[in-house]
Amino acid sequence: MSRIIVVTSGKGGVGKTTITANLGYSLARNGRKVALVDADFGLRNLDLLMGLESRVVYTAIEAMAGECRLEQALVKDKRQHHLVLLPAAQHRNKEAIDPTQMKEVVGQIAKTYEYILIDSPAGIEIGFRNAITPAKEALIVSTPEVASVRDADRVIGLLEANGIEKIRLIVNRIKPDMVQMNEMMGVDDVLDVLSIPLVGIVPDDKRMIVASNRGEPVVCGLPDSIPAIAFDNIARRLEGEKVPLLDLMAAQDNLINRIRRLFQG
Amino acid sequence: MLEKLFPWVSPVNSRSEAKRRLKLILAHDRAGLNPQMIELMRAEILEVVARYVEIDPEEMELSLESNERISCLMANVPIRRVKAKG
């Protein structure tokens, strides 16, 4: 039975696509057969973050219309041969497909692949409904900012209303130094507000931008970096392994911060 | 003075403010109630309670709270005295 997981957030720009790319890569490296589905029609980017943009020939639209075979539309990753991408159409809008068609195409992919990660567009309109309809599980991505947390809460409500019960949270772009100074909500704060199980935390890191410049997920290009370890840990937790959370605050435990904390009481 | 030199000493930090504001707005979002509806509800509850007991409308508190994704409406109505029957 394959796992069909939607990566969604409500708010845009919080890291859904980056997380989809890295988790997919990490799962594939661990020997899983993984298909990434870009559900962001009209604003596709998963191909770009994976560095596969020049290999896109057909998209989900052609596959659904029967203009090509599904296997022809699936772009194989250049590094992991268990990893494929079903690109979204770039010159069509979100109304180009409906939830039934999406469910059908994902159902086809599920015959061959163990994990299907669906990268949802921002928003809660038709594109979002296309992305969540085939899914059995959801990963909610939120940064520790009020707008992102509020939108995440709205999306959690919509997922529950659509019968998706396994909903887990990824807190992205944590800045430990700001949390330390009480200038940013910490993971515990976000968890307390959203009240859903946590599956992982990812620190804010400049290297994520470098990785996107290169079209190389950070788990591939910089496998020893902290964000890469964070993604690998999430992939392992998806597999059911118990992996302790990264201690992002450890690096903040220097002398100056200890003195600052003394003042804070 | 001290707070300007060491901004992190400030008792109201933006972290706790973010959390407080989120909890409040999410209670309303989850219940699907806007402030106008709350105000209407407040007035109606007050009206019903006032039929039975004597209350001070100014002292009534009605708030929405949300815990573990369940919204809860809290009404606090101090009673002055029970009205005589009839």
Side-chain angles (χ1 to χ4, degrees):
Chain A
M1 195 51 189
S2 41
R3 306 260 304 263
I4 306 173
I5 308 172
V6 62
V7 181
T8 187
S9 66
K11 193 174 179 306
V14 297
K16 289 178 293 295
T17 306
T18 308
I19 285 175
T20 308
N22 279 284
L23 289 183
Y25 194 95
S26 188
L27 286 164
R29 192 169 51 197
N30 292 340
R32 290 296 186 178
K33 297 188 77 175
V34 184
L36 306 178
V37 176
D38 192 344
D40 204 346
F41 283 68
L43 292 169
R44 79 166 181 228
N45 276 318
L46 191 49
D47 55 334
L48 199 52
L49 293 195
M50 296 293 294
L52 299 174
E53 67 276 16
S54 61
R55 299 187 175 202
V56 175
V57 181
Y58 299 109
T59 69
I61 293 278
E62 286 84 39
M64 280 185 279
E67 289 165 23
C68 70
R69 282 178 291 112
L70 180 60
E71 301 82 70
Q72 289 177 295
L74 295 173
V75 183
K76 288 185 181 60
D77 187 77
K78 8 180 202 193
R79 299 137 300 201
Q80 293 293 331
H81 45 255
H82 287 314
L83 181 63
V84 295
L85 164 72
L86 180 63
Q90 179 69 342
H91 299 289
R92 304 289 286 273
N93 56 27
K94 308 229 179 329
E95 288 79 37
I97 57 160
D98 62 38
T100 321
Q101 291 172 306
M102 192 73 178
K103 200 170 177 173
E104 206 176 286
V105 77
V106 170
Q108 287 289 322
I109 302 173
K111 288 178 186 165
T112 325
Y113 291 88
E114 294 169 287
Y115 274 90
I116 297 161
L117 303 185
I118 306 171
D119 183 24
S120 150
I124 50 172
E125 297 81 24
I126 180 73
F128 167 76
R129 288 211 302 280
N130 284 335
I132 67 165
T133 303
K136 306 274 191 298
E137 302 173 41
L139 296 176
I140 301 287
V141 182
S142 178
T143 64
E145 290 158 75
V146 285
S148 174
V149 176
R150 185 189 192 179
D151 291 0
D153 189 79
R154 176 95 170 98
V155 162
I156 293 165
L158 292 172
L159 290 169
E160 284 172 344
N162 278 277
I164 298 178
E165 283 164 12
K166 198 160 190 179
I167 306 171
R168 289 181 286 180
L169 177 69
I170 295 174
V171 183
N172 196 20
R173 301 221 186 106
I174 300 162
K175 297 178 196 279
D177 53 334
M178 289 188 74
V179 176
Q180 186 79 62
M181 290 295 106
N182 284 332
E183 286 166 340
M184 180 181 248
M185 284 188 287
V187 179
D188 47 342
D189 298 317
V190 180
L191 269 183
D192 186 28
V193 171
L194 290 178
S195 312
I196 59 166
L198 181 72
V199 73
I201 56 177
V202 186
D204 189 53
D205 199 303
K206 287 180 189 166
R207 285 170 289 192
M208 302 302 294
I209 296 181
V210 177
S212 72
N213 293 342
R214 297 205 168 114
E216 198 174 58
V218 74
V219 290
C220 159
L222 294 159
D224 298 322
S225 63
I226 299 205
I229 296 168
F231 288 124
D232 283 331
N233 285 352
I234 298 173
R236 286 165 63 194
R237 290 186 200 110
L238 286 178
E239 293 271 58
E241 235 184 283
K242 294 241 180 293
V243 187
L245 280 184
L246 281 179
D247 185 4
L248 301 179
M249 305 310 278
Q252 301 302 314
D253 201 18
N254 55 33
L255 184 65
I256 293 178
N257 283 327
R258 277 190 208 174
I259 295 170
R260 283 179 169 187
R261 273 206 302 279
L262 271 180
F263 277 103
Q264 276 181 321
Chain B
M1 171 66 186
L2 195 66
E3 281 184 20
K4 275 202 172 152
L5 268 175
F6 309 101
W8 56 87
V9 180
S10 165
V12 185
N13 58 58
S14 73
R15 175 185 182 171
S16 52
E17 205 172 330
K19 197 172 168 185
R20 181 190 59 76
R21 292 177 59 222
L22 264 174
K23 285 204 150 184
L24 188 68
I25 191 67
L26 288 187
H28 286 85
D29 283 358
R30 285 172 188 166
L33 288 168
N34 57 40
Q36 287 85 356
M37 286 163 82
I38 301 257
E39 198 38 57
L40 262 174
M41 200 154 51
R42 193 182 114 93
E44 283 188 39
I45 292 171
L46 216 60
E47 196 187 304
V48 172
V49 177
R51 275 185 227 153
Y52 300 89
V53 291
E54 201 171 293
I55 51 174
D56 182 352
E58 297 301 307
E59 277 181 53
M60 176 180 176
E61 284 173 26
L62 188 68
S63 63
L64 259 180
E65 283 176 20
S66 198
N67 266 315
E68 296 291 316
R69 310 201 59 77
I70 294 164
S71 296
C72 184
L73 188 68
M74 315 270 279
N76 194 347
V77 194
I79 296 171
R80 276 193 185 153
R81 64 185 174 93
V82 179
K83 281 186 177 173
K85 272 191 184 167

PDB file of all heavy atoms in Angstrom, chain A residues 73-91:
ATOM      1  N   ALA A  73       5.547  10.994 -18.974  1.00  0.00           N
ATOM      2  CA  ALA A  73       5.456  12.294 -18.289  1.00  0.00           C
ATOM      3  C   ALA A  73       6.298  12.321 -17.017  1.00  0.00           C
ATOM      4  O   ALA A  73       6.697  13.386 -16.555  1.00  0.00           O
ATOM      5  CB  ALA A  73       4.002  12.605 -17.958  1.00  0.00           C
ATOM      6  N   LEU A  74       6.571  11.143 -16.452  1.00  0.00           N
ATOM      7  CA  LEU A  74       7.355  11.104 -15.215  1.00  0.00           C
ATOM      8  C   LEU A  74       8.835  11.356 -15.519  1.00  0.00           C
ATOM      9  O   LEU A  74       9.469  10.575 -16.221  1.00  0.00           O
ATOM     10  CB  LEU A  74       7.187   9.742 -14.521  1.00  0.00           C
ATOM     11  CG  LEU A  74       5.776   9.414 -14.012  1.00  0.00           C
ATOM     12  CD1 LEU A  74       5.718   7.981 -13.500  1.00  0.00           C
ATOM     13  CD2 LEU A  74       5.340  10.387 -12.922  1.00  0.00           C
ATOM     14  N   VAL A  75       9.356  12.456 -14.980  1.00  0.00           N
ATOM     15  CA  VAL A  75      10.764  12.806 -15.211  1.00  0.00           C
ATOM     16  C   VAL A  75      11.634  12.086 -14.190  1.00  0.00           C
ATOM     17  O   VAL A  75      11.423  12.221 -12.985  1.00  0.00           O
ATOM     18  CB  VAL A  75      10.972  14.333 -15.063  1.00  0.00           C
ATOM     19  CG1 VAL A  75      12.412  14.711 -15.370  1.00  0.00           C
ATOM     20  CG2 VAL A  75      10.012  15.092 -15.961  1.00  0.00           C
ATOM     21  N   LYS A  76      12.600  11.329 -14.671  1.00  0.00           N
ATOM     22  CA  LYS A  76      13.490  10.601 -13.750  1.00  0.00           C
ATOM     23  C   LYS A  76      14.547  11.530 -13.200  1.00  0.00           C
ATOM     24  O   LYS A  76      15.127  12.327 -13.918  1.00  0.00           O
ATOM     25  CB  LYS A  76      14.154   9.437 -14.479  1.00  0.00           C
ATOM     26  CG  LYS A  76      13.181   8.320 -14.766  1.00  0.00           C
ATOM     27  CD  LYS A  76      13.875   7.114 -15.372  1.00  0.00           C
ATOM     28  CE  LYS A  76      12.862   6.031 -15.667  1.00  0.00           C
ATOM     29  NZ  LYS A  76      11.810   6.498 -16.625  1.00  0.00           N
ATOM     30  N   ASP A  77      14.818  11.420 -11.898  1.00  0.00           N
ATOM     31  CA  ASP A  77      15.873  12.229 -11.288  1.00  0.00           C
ATOM     32  C   ASP A  77      17.226  11.768 -11.833  1.00  0.00           C
ATOM     33  O   ASP A  77      17.424  10.589 -12.092  1.00  0.00           O
ATOM     34  CB  ASP A  77      15.832  12.065  -9.761  1.00  0.00           C
ATOM     35  CG  ASP A  77      16.788  13.013  -9.081  1.00  0.00           C
ATOM     36  OD1 ASP A  77      16.458  14.204  -8.967  1.00  0.00           O
ATOM     37  OD2 ASP A  77      17.879  12.570  -8.672  1.00  0.00           O
ATOM     38  N   LYS A  78      18.147  12.756 -11.960  1.00  0.00           N
ATOM     39  CA  LYS A  78      19.447  12.377 -12.531  1.00  0.00           C
ATOM     40  C   LYS A  78      20.317  11.647 -11.514  1.00  0.00           C
ATOM     41  O   LYS A  78      21.232  10.941 -11.877  1.00  0.00           O
ATOM     42  CB  LYS A  78      20.213  13.586 -13.057  1.00  0.00           C
ATOM     43  CG  LYS A  78      19.625  14.927 -12.733  1.00  0.00           C
ATOM     44  CD  LYS A  78      20.443  16.055 -13.296  1.00  0.00           C
ATOM     45  CE  LYS A  78      20.142  17.315 -12.512  1.00  0.00           C
ATOM     46  NZ  LYS A  78      20.602  18.541 -13.078  1.00  0.00           N
ATOM     47  N   ARG A  79      20.030  11.823 -10.206  1.00  0.00           N
ATOM     48  CA  ARG A  79      20.911  11.239  -9.196  1.00  0.00           C
ATOM     49  C   ARG A  79      20.341   9.983  -8.557  1.00  0.00           C
ATOM     50  O   ARG A  79      21.049   9.035  -8.279  1.00  0.00           O
ATOM     51  CB  ARG A  79      21.195  12.294  -8.102  1.00  0.00           C
ATOM     52  CG  ARG A  79      21.890  13.526  -8.643  1.00  0.00           C
ATOM     53  CD  ARG A  79      21.344  14.836  -8.097  1.00  0.00           C
ATOM     54  NE  ARG A  79      19.931  15.053  -8.382  1.00  0.00           N
ATOM     55  CZ  ARG A  79      19.359  16.239  -8.378  1.00  0.00           C
ATOM     56  NH1 ARG A  79      20.062  17.314  -8.089  1.00  0.00           N
ATOM     57  NH2 ARG A  79      18.071  16.359  -8.630  1.00  0.00           N
ATOM     58  N   GLN A  80      19.021   9.998  -8.296  1.00  0.00           N
ATOM     59  CA  GLN A  80      18.379   8.847  -7.652  1.00  0.00           C
ATOM     60  C   GLN A  80      17.466   8.166  -8.661  1.00  0.00           C
ATOM     61  O   GLN A  80      16.500   8.770  -9.120  1.00  0.00           O
ATOM     62  CB  GLN A  80      17.532   9.315  -6.456  1.00  0.00           C
ATOM     63  CG  GLN A  80      18.314   9.889  -5.306  1.00  0.00           C
ATOM     64  CD  GLN A  80      19.166   8.845  -4.611  1.00  0.00           C
ATOM     65  OE1 GLN A  80      18.844   7.658  -4.593  1.00  0.00           O
ATOM     66  NE2 GLN A  80      20.272   9.293  -4.049  1.00  0.00           N
ATOM     67  N   HIS A  81      17.739   6.911  -9.000  1.00  0.00           N
ATOM     68  CA  HIS A  81      16.866   6.339 -10.026  1.00  0.00           C
ATOM     69  C   HIS A  81      15.552   5.777  -9.481  1.00  0.00           C
ATOM     70  O   HIS A  81      14.750   5.283 -10.239  1.00  0.00           O
ATOM     71  CB  HIS A  81      17.603   5.338 -10.918  1.00  0.00           C
ATOM     72  CG  HIS A  81      18.450   4.381 -10.183  1.00  0.00           C
ATOM     73  ND1 HIS A  81      19.820   4.489 -10.145  1.00  0.00           N
ATOM     74  CD2 HIS A  81      18.131   3.316  -9.430  1.00  0.00           C
ATOM     75  CE1 HIS A  81      20.314   3.536  -9.400  1.00  0.00           C
ATOM     76  NE2 HIS A  81      19.318   2.809  -8.943  1.00  0.00           N
ATOM     77  N   HIS A  82      15.338   5.886  -8.157  1.00  0.00           N
ATOM     78  CA  HIS A  82      14.032   5.502  -7.623  1.00  0.00           C
ATOM     79  C   HIS A  82      13.108   6.707  -7.482  1.00  0.00           C
ATOM     80  O   HIS A  82      12.047   6.619  -6.895  1.00  0.00           O
ATOM     81  CB  HIS A  82      14.183   4.869  -6.231  1.00  0.00           C
ATOM     82  CG  HIS A  82      14.756   3.496  -6.287  1.00  0.00           C
ATOM     83  ND1 HIS A  82      14.316   2.560  -7.166  1.00  0.00           N
ATOM     84  CD2 HIS A  82      15.731   2.916  -5.553  1.00  0.00           C
ATOM     85  CE1 HIS A  82      15.000   1.447  -6.987  1.00  0.00           C
ATOM     86  NE2 HIS A  82      15.874   1.640  -6.019  1.00  0.00           N
ATOM     87  N   LEU A  83      13.598   7.854  -7.987  1.00  0.00           N
ATOM     88  CA  LEU A  83      12.871   9.112  -7.774  1.00  0.00           C
ATOM     89  C   LEU A  83      12.386   9.689  -9.105  1.00  0.00           C
ATOM     90  O   LEU A  83      13.170   9.831 -10.039  1.00  0.00           O
ATOM     91  CB  LEU A  83      13.811  10.115  -7.082  1.00  0.00           C
ATOM     92  CG  LEU A  83      13.271  11.489  -6.724  1.00  0.00           C
ATOM     93  CD1 LEU A  83      12.138  11.389  -5.726  1.00  0.00           C
ATOM     94  CD2 LEU A  83      14.394  12.360  -6.140  1.00  0.00           C
ATOM     95  N   VAL A  84      11.079   9.989  -9.175  1.00  0.00           N
ATOM     96  CA  VAL A  84      10.556  10.632 -10.383  1.00  0.00           C
ATOM     97  C   VAL A  84       9.698  11.847 -10.014  1.00  0.00           C
ATOM     98  O   VAL A  84       9.249  11.980  -8.868  1.00  0.00           O
ATOM     99  CB  VAL A  84       9.683   9.667 -11.242  1.00  0.00           C
ATOM    100  CG1 VAL A  84      10.507   8.519 -11.796  1.00  0.00           C
ATOM    101  CG2 VAL A  84       8.484   9.178 -10.452  1.00  0.00           C
ATOM    102  N   LEU A  85       9.496  12.706 -11.000  1.00  0.00           N
ATOM    103  CA  LEU A  85       8.689  13.911 -10.808  1.00  0.00           C
ATOM    104  C   LEU A  85       7.611  13.981 -11.882  1.00  0.00           C
ATOM    105  O   LEU A  85       7.896  13.813 -13.071  1.00  0.00           O
ATOM    106  CB  LEU A  85       9.609  15.146 -10.923  1.00  0.00           C
ATOM    107  CG  LEU A  85       8.917  16.501 -11.137  1.00  0.00           C
ATOM    108  CD1 LEU A  85       8.207  16.956  -9.873  1.00  0.00           C
ATOM    109  CD2 LEU A  85       9.921  17.555 -11.586  1.00  0.00           C
ATOM    110  N   LEU A  86       6.383  14.211 -11.434  1.00  0.00           N
ATOM    111  CA  LEU A  86       5.318  14.504 -12.402  1.00  0.00           C
ATOM    112  C   LEU A  86       5.125  16.019 -12.409  1.00  0.00           C
ATOM    113  O   LEU A  86       4.580  16.587 -11.456  1.00  0.00           O
ATOM    114  CB  LEU A  86       4.006  13.807 -12.017  1.00  0.00           C
ATOM    115  CG  LEU A  86       2.845  14.075 -12.993  1.00  0.00           C
ATOM    116  CD1 LEU A  86       3.128  13.533 -14.379  1.00  0.00           C
ATOM    117  CD2 LEU A  86       1.537  13.492 -12.469  1.00  0.00           C
ATOM    118  N   PRO A  87       5.583  16.682 -13.476  1.00  0.00           N
ATOM    119  CA  PRO A  87       5.514  18.146 -13.480  1.00  0.00           C
ATOM    120  C   PRO A  87       4.084  18.644 -13.679  1.00  0.00           C
ATOM    121  O   PRO A  87       3.271  17.980 -14.315  1.00  0.00           O
ATOM    122  CB  PRO A  87       6.379  18.540 -14.679  1.00  0.00           C
ATOM    123  CG  PRO A  87       7.040  17.289 -15.159  1.00  0.00           C
ATOM    124  CD  PRO A  87       6.195  16.151 -14.700  1.00  0.00           C
ATOM    125  N   ALA A  88       3.833  19.816 -13.145  1.00  0.00           N
ATOM    126  CA  ALA A  88       2.561  20.493 -13.407  1.00  0.00           C
ATOM    127  C   ALA A  88       2.706  21.232 -14.733  1.00  0.00           C
ATOM    128  O   ALA A  88       3.817  21.503 -15.176  1.00  0.00           O
ATOM    129  CB  ALA A  88       2.275  21.481 -12.281  1.00  0.00           C
ATOM    130  N   ALA A  89       1.580  21.555 -15.353  1.00  0.00           N
ATOM    131  CA  ALA A  89       1.647  22.344 -16.585  1.00  0.00           C
ATOM    132  C   ALA A  89       1.906  23.794 -16.202  1.00  0.00           C
ATOM    133  O   ALA A  89       1.325  24.308 -15.251  1.00  0.00           O
ATOM    134  CB  ALA A  89       0.333  22.212 -17.339  1.00  0.00           C
ATOM    135  N   GLN A  90       2.793  24.436 -16.918  1.00  0.00           N
ATOM    136  CA  GLN A  90       3.149  25.809 -16.584  1.00  0.00           C
ATOM    137  C   GLN A  90       2.269  26.812 -17.340  1.00  0.00           C
ATOM    138  O   GLN A  90       2.012  27.897 -16.848  1.00  0.00           O
ATOM    139  CB  GLN A  90       4.639  26.037 -16.884  1.00  0.00           C
ATOM    140  CG  GLN A  90       5.141  27.435 -16.613  1.00  0.00           C
ATOM    141  CD  GLN A  90       5.190  27.777 -15.123  1.00  0.00           C
ATOM    142  OE1 GLN A  90       4.559  27.118 -14.297  1.00  0.00           O
ATOM    143  NE2 GLN A  90       5.923  28.808 -14.775  1.00  0.00           N
ATOM    144  N   HIS A  91       1.802  26.435 -18.537  1.00  0.00           N
ATOM    145  CA  HIS A  91       1.046  27.395 -19.330  1.00  0.00           C
ATOM    146  C   HIS A  91      -0.461  27.207 -19.208  1.00  0.00           C
ATOM    147  O   HIS A  91      -1.228  27.645 -20.040  1.00  0.00           O
ATOM    148  CB  HIS A  91       1.492  27.338 -20.791  1.00  0.00           C
ATOM    149  CG  HIS A  91       2.932  27.683 -20.920  1.00  0.00           C
ATOM    150  ND1 HIS A  91       3.396  28.965 -20.740  1.00  0.00           N
ATOM    151  CD2 HIS A  91       4.023  26.911 -21.137  1.00  0.00           C
ATOM    152  CE1 HIS A  91       4.709  28.972 -20.862  1.00  0.00           C
ATOM    153  NE2 HIS A  91       5.114  27.730 -21.094  1.00  0.00           N
TER     154      HIS A  91
END
